[in-house]
Amino acid sequence: LVLLSLLAFLLAGFVVMRPASRVALWLLLALEATVAINVVAHVLSALVVFKGYGPGLASALTLNAPFAWYVLRRARNEAWVTRRAWRSLILGGMMLHGPVLVAGLWLAAALGA
């Protein structure tokens, strides 16, 4: 989690330093789309798996959901990226949340062992 947060801050810093980089901006928005997908995953796991509260639900609803809503809504309204790039954010977010997350967790476990 710390490594992922550090990566997000580094990417955000890169976007601030190079605002003309459409690729960096798209990657940052894909990361935010991943956060939004993660909120849905926490809500579903709390309802279906835990039948109530689940780990991470409170922070997902109080921190991640409002910020993801704000950033993604602003990005759409202000046309930060093209429509085509916008549509691909969902796929990018799913890839980051699924296979990339699993690979990262596996790597972290392997390096920690």
Side-chain angles (χ1 to χ4, degrees):
L1 186 58
V2 172
L3 186 59
L4 183 60
S5 297
L6 180 61
L7 177 65
F9 280 113
L10 288 173
L11 185 56
F14 185 76
V15 170
V16 168
M17 290 175 15
R18 296 202 146 169
S21 174
R22 303 308 261 169
V23 171
L25 178 60
W26 185 88
L27 287 171
L28 190 59
L29 289 174
L31 186 60
E32 197 56 46
T34 305
V35 170
I37 292 168
N38 194 47
V39 169
V40 174
H42 277 287
V43 170
L44 289 176
S45 69
L47 292 173
V48 175
V49 177
F50 296 104
K51 307 287 190 236
Y53 180 79
L57 180 63
S59 59
L61 292 175
T62 60
L63 300 172
N64 296 343
F67 190 71
W69 173 263
Y70 168 76
V71 169
L72 294 173
R73 195 174 105 226
R74 185 171 172 194
R76 187 196 64 210
N77 291 344
E78 296 177 13
W80 290 0
V81 293
T82 64
R83 281 187 155 184
R84 183 176 178 203
W86 181 256
R87 285 190 299 266
S88 67
L89 283 175
I90 296 169
L91 180 59
M94 292 171 95
M95 289 299 295
L96 285 173
H97 192 267
V100 173
L101 177 64
V102 170
L105 291 172
W106 175 83
L107 183 61
L111 293 176

